[in-house]
Amino acid sequence: GRDCRLTQRRALEWSRPPFPSASMRTYQALILSAPLCLGCRSAAQAPAGEAPALSEMHEPAAPLEAHTWLRQLVGEWDVVGEADMGPDIQPMLMESVESVRPLGELWVLAEMKSADFGAVMTLGYDPKRACYVGTWVDSMQPVLWHYTGRLEEDGRALVLEAEGPDMEHPERTRLYRDTIRIVSPDHRQLTSAMRLEDGTWKDFMKADYRRRK
């Protein structure tokens, strides 16, 4: 997408020598010496005989209220859901276990497992873009999904959207939406929907998450 292209372009710009006349060896020496200089400065600040802490070398970003919201998802969850398989077909029932843990104070990592399915989701909040961000990968498809999202006005539901392969026409893409709704501290719900050609949304999967006691 556009964000990926911008990231690739910035990476190329940073990888070019800063001056056209600079030799590659000189440029590489400058790049390699930068971490050493930072390390020397941090080591000088640390007490004699002690290695500098990582926090002294790079101050971690302070969590915002948006990051704190994600802590509600942390824990062990039993998941029961059903997926719409199409007209005149019985819904597919699903049972799995999800484990969600924090990564520092800015991210949460969720891993879902069942007998024949596995998935990993990351969720965080990007202050510069003023939106929730995340990724999803699973054992059924070779696709890395990229989420962007927002909270609903009542603050109880996180709405995440991602573009991915069309279920009916794999050569095309379609916009999908996952809504995580907090029912209580020990109960949440997930609703997955796809955007149709006319711009409306159709639910195709729902799941209940109950915290393990």
Side-chain angles (χ1 to χ4, degrees):
R2 180 174 179 271
D3 288 347
C4 291
R5 291 195 298 269
L6 288 174
T7 301
Q8 292 169 351
R9 187 173 66 189
R10 292 190 184 112
L12 288 172
E13 291 172 352
W14 277 101
S15 66
R16 299 189 186 111
F19 306 107
S21 60
S23 69
M24 184 56 68
R25 287 186 180 179
T26 303
Y27 180 63
Q28 290 174 341
L30 288 172
I31 294 299
L32 292 173
S33 65
L36 297 177
C37 293
L38 288 173
C40 291
R41 183 173 61 182
S42 298
Q45 295 171 349
E50 294 184 13
L54 180 60
S55 60
E56 295 176 358
M57 301 176 66
H58 178 74
E59 184 176 353
L64 305 176
E65 185 177 351
H67 297 110
T68 304
W69 191 95
L70 295 171
R71 289 303 183 100
Q72 300 174 92
L73 309 180
V74 172
E76 304 291 323
W77 303 83
D78 290 313
V79 186
V80 178
E82 63 176 40
D84 182 1
M85 303 304 292
D88 304 321
I89 303 177
Q90 290 292 325
M92 181 176 67
L93 302 180
M94 303 170 292
E95 292 187 6
S96 60
V97 175
E98 185 183 70
S99 176
V100 186
R101 62 181 178 87
L103 180 61
E105 297 184 281
L106 305 176
W107 298 88
V108 296
L109 306 179
E111 183 173 8
M112 180 180 290
K113 293 181 179 180
S114 68
D116 55 0
F117 180 77
V120 176
M121 177 175 65
T122 66
L123 286 176
Y125 182 82
D126 186 339
K128 292 185 178 180
R129 298 170 62 185
C131 67
Y132 284 89
V133 293
T135 59
W136 169 281
V137 292
D138 63 56
S139 58
M140 301 293 288
Q141 53 186 333
V143 179
L144 174 62
W145 297 72
H146 292 270
Y147 282 127
T148 57
R150 57 177 174 76
L151 288 180
E152 289 188 346
E153 290 186 4
D154 63 4
R156 299 189 65 83
L158 175 59
V159 180
L160 300 166
E161 294 185 354
E163 187 174 356
D166 189 320
M167 295 180 183
E168 298 178 356
H169 306 282
E171 71 280 3
R172 305 179 189 172
T173 61
R174 184 186 292 272
L175 194 61
Y176 294 87
R177 175 182 289 171
D178 285 344
T179 302
I180 302 171
R181 179 168 295 279
I182 305 298
V183 180
S184 72
D186 298 327
H187 181 204
R188 57 186 168 94
Q189 297 173 327
L190 171 68
T191 302
S192 296
M194 66 176 74
R195 192 170 71 176
L196 304 180
E197 297 294 336
D198 61 4
T200 60
W201 291 86
K202 177 185 177 182
D203 294 346
F204 65 87
M205 197 273 287
K206 294 184 179 181
D208 268 308
Y209 293 65
R210 304 278 181 173
R211 189 183 298 276
R212 286 192 161 188
K213 300 297 186 180

